Amino acid sequence: MSTAAAVVFTVLMAALSVLQVLVAAGRPFGRLVWGGRHEVLPRRLRVGSAVSVVLYAAFSWLVLARSGVLPGGDAPGVGVGTWVLVAYLVLGVAVNGVSRSRPERLVRTPVVAVLAGCALVVALEV
C-alpha cells in the first residue's frame, strides 16, 4: 500500500512541478498558485516557484525512500521528515482551502489533501 501511495504522491508532485515551472517561466497560470493574486507572477514569486520545484523533488525523494521504493529510507531523519511533511501538507490543505483564489481553492485543496493522505499512508505503514 505504501508503494502505491508513494507513486501517486510522486505523480502529483510531478504535475505540481510542471505547473510551478510554467508560472516561473511567466505563463498565465498564477491564479492557481501563491494566493492567486497574479495571472502572471512577478519576479519574486517566479523565483519562489522555481524553488518550489526543488522542494517538491525533495519531498518526493523523502516519500519514495520512506516507502522503500528508493534506497535511504532507514537514514536518520527520514521517518521524522516524513511526519513533518505530513504536518506541512495538512497545513497546506487548510491554507489552500481559505485562499482568496477560487481556482486555487478548487484545484489545489483536493490535490494537497490527496498528497497529505498519501504521505500519511507512507508514514504509518513503514
Side-chain angles (χ1 to χ4, degrees), residues 19 22-23 25-32 38-41:
L19 174 62
L22 289 172
V23 295
R27 305 305 300 164
F29 302 112
R31 66 190 175 281
L32 295 170
H38 307 280
E39 188 70 21
V40 175
L41 297 182

Side-chain angles (χ1 to χ4, degrees), residues 16-70:
L16 288 176
S17 293
V18 169
L19 174 62
Q20 293 291 4
V21 167
L22 289 172
V23 295
R27 305 305 300 164
F29 302 112
R31 66 190 175 281
L32 295 170
V33 296
W34 301 110
R37 291 188 200 118
H38 307 280
E39 188 70 21
V40 175
L41 297 182
R43 181 171 171 77
R44 66 181 171 78
L45 293 179
R46 288 183 192 188
V47 171
S49 286
V51 170
S52 293
V53 173
V54 175
L55 290 173
Y56 293 170
F59 296 163
S60 294
W61 174 85
L62 183 70
V63 169
L64 289 168
R66 179 72 175 158
S67 70
V69 173
L70 292 178

